Amino acid sequence: MHIEQHILNAVNEWLTPAFDAQTQAAVKDMMTSSPKLLEESFYKNLEFGTGGMRGIMGVGTNRINKYTLGKNTQGLSDYLKKSFPGQDLKVVIAYDCRHNSNTLAKTVADVFSANGIKVFLFSDMRPTPELSFALKYLGCQCGIVLTASHNPPEYNGYKVYWQDGGQLVPPQDKEIIGVIESLQYSDIKFSANEDLIEYIDTAVDEAFIASTVDNASFNTPQAAKDQLVIAYTSLHGTSIKMIPAVLEKAGYKNLHIVAEQATPNGDFPTVVSPNPEEPEALTMALALAEKVNADIVIGTDPDSDRLGVAVRDTNGKLILLNGNQTMVVMTEFLLRQWKLAGKLNGKQFIGSTIVSTPMMLELASAYGVDCKVGLTGFKWIAKFIKDFPDMQFIGGGEESFGFMVGDAVRDKDAVGATLLVCEIAAQAKAKGSSLYKELLQMYVDYGFYKEYLVSLTKKGIEGAQEIKQMMNDLRNNPVAEVANERVIMVEDYQASSAKNLVTGELETLNVPKSDVLIYYTEDGSKIAARPSGTEPKIKFYASVNAQIDSVDEVPAAEAYLDQKIKNILTDMNII
């Protein structure tokens, strides 16, 4: 097969003495045994996306390995010295349960220390939200977590956090990438200064647990906690290190853990995908819940930033909630608690994203708070906290099963969100209701919003080109009508424009550019198209809504909305 010259140039660089003999041998083997794999491994450099840098582990510029992460870390070290001149630099590093995470974390620590930077390195795997907490707790300028979140077992990743505890955002991200790209692999300092590496564990754990319990507890009586039966799975991930301890300290005693999934394992042997967004991932937890008659089921992804929730419906049947549903239930509860405490004075806000449910705007309006809506990725919600220091952040989420309670952690946090959702369920049960019934009443009070996600996987070079073409086609052939409803507004976040198709008025979107298109129809439906920033996927989001006057109207309204979503997706050739 023909291989482009720029790929061959990259391959030849990896055959130089800057790379160890084992790496060079692996490259040579690919050259003879698998030219296609060679092309996939070297056709581009791994890029930072919505959730940091993720990729398949292996040899090459488009892979996660000691050299790609070493180069990132060398560039980050140089940037830190420039950004904080004269300061004693400190970084904290955590890692998850994935293969090679511990050795890659040590490599990253080695490079930082070789550059004279103090490193706090967790002695064992920890949840990603604890890294965000530890960064501020230890007074560091930067933090790194080695994780690929819910991606398949062959992946790993590298997420960078800044001084405020949030992930990198503009302008730091582009500036750091520029520094990294200016380096040669031979510039990487791999020789560790072990005197600068300090292992951390119990003290930070205890502080994180205490902070979480303080942040996500809302005066639930102990009797109510005693009555709540919880089924929980860590899906072989890191949350097993924290969630049982947090729930115990908060007073929840009826916790039943899926034993077969409690041991951290980077192969994720009992699931097709360790992603609580996928119903299959919670199969074993649901079975345990039926066995122990649990009120609520909770499952978290490998690095414990996302959570999936199942609750019993009005017939007692366990049903899975989607990320939008859990988000609005948690947000409305927080708003109600703040209102009851007399803490709402117009200087508070909640956070959401452009592809999440518009119901968040309705909640904000009802409680007299602001709802700040950013691009996909929790780094944008964290950025709001930094950008609006005179306002208090209550909580916020995104449709992809992430939620953040307060600002002690500046990223989505399944540890704190698990405690919060247990508080909601316990209080509801104690008053003869349930979390599900609370959600149904919200549909009456704020409008029945229903969302649906279609995610199409397109792997490799051809897949990336196919996704690009799909977005080009949507831009070049804009949809004027969807399911017999006129499109009245199109937002193109790549062009930073919002066009009103009724008046012809064109507005500028004051957010960073992103490859997202959103259509709004005259009946209030919303359809978004977005390539994933962390996986080889293109995602389509549909949101529809209806007004109802009582909970009795929910079944008919839901059937109507389900058909509406099906019509939209069929009409746009998405399904």
Side-chain angles (χ1 to χ4, degrees), residues 276-297:
E277 291 179 87
E278 304 290 341
E280 177 274 336
L282 295 183
T283 300
M284 296 180 78
L286 290 168
L288 175 63
E290 293 293 11
K291 184 178 177 181
V292 301
N293 195 28
D295 301 294
I296 188 167
V297 177

Side-chain angles (χ1 to χ4, degrees), residues 7-28:
I7 297 175
L8 293 175
N9 293 341
V11 169
N12 287 330
E13 184 181 6
W14 282 58
L15 296 174
T16 65
F19 298 85
D20 60 42
Q22 186 179 359
T23 297
Q24 293 184 53
V27 174
K28 290 175 182 175

Side-chain angles (χ1 to χ4, degrees), residues 348-403:
Q348 290 76 34
F349 74 97
I350 57 175
S352 185
T353 71
I354 57 174
V355 296
S356 298
T357 177
M359 191 172 177
M360 290 289 280
L361 299 170
E362 299 297 329
L363 293 177
S365 176
Y367 280 91
V369 303
D370 192 11
C371 180
K372 298 189 183 299
V373 181
L375 296 175
T376 304
F378 245 82
K379 60 187 178 185
W380 302 109
I381 295 178
K383 187 175 185 295
F384 289 140
I385 299 172
K386 183 170 62 174
D387 290 347
F388 296 93
D390 295 332
M391 298 189 73
Q392 292 175 288
F393 175 71
I394 294 173
E398 60 181 359
E399 57 76 36
S400 57
F401 287 57
F403 197 83

Side-chain angles (χ1 to χ4, degrees), residues 550-566:
S550 74
V551 169
D552 294 337
E553 297 176 28
V554 167
E558 186 155 30
Y560 165 74
L561 294 176
D562 284 340
Q563 186 60 50
K564 200 169 188 177
I565 288 171
K566 184 177 180 181

Side-chain angles (χ1 to χ4, degrees), residues 495-569:
S496 299
S497 67
K499 186 173 184 180
N500 186 316
L501 301 185
V502 178
T503 65
E505 186 179 357
L506 195 66
E507 294 183 17
T508 300
L509 296 172
N510 294 314
V511 295
K513 292 181 182 296
S514 184
D515 192 8
V516 183
L517 277 171
I518 301 181
Y519 296 101
Y520 297 88
T521 67
E522 57 188 341
D523 68 339
S525 299
K526 172 182 170 185
I527 308 101
R530 168 187 162 265
S532 171
T534 53
E535 301 170 276
K537 294 179 178 180
I538 183 168
K539 298 184 176 184
F540 296 92
Y541 309 78
S543 175
V544 295
N545 65 87
Q547 299 300 311
I548 57 175
D549 295 319
S550 74
V551 169
D552 294 337
E553 297 176 28
V554 167
E558 186 155 30
Y560 165 74
L561 294 176
D562 284 340
Q563 186 60 50
K564 200 169 188 177
I565 288 171
K566 184 177 180 181
N567 292 344
I568 288 170
L569 298 176

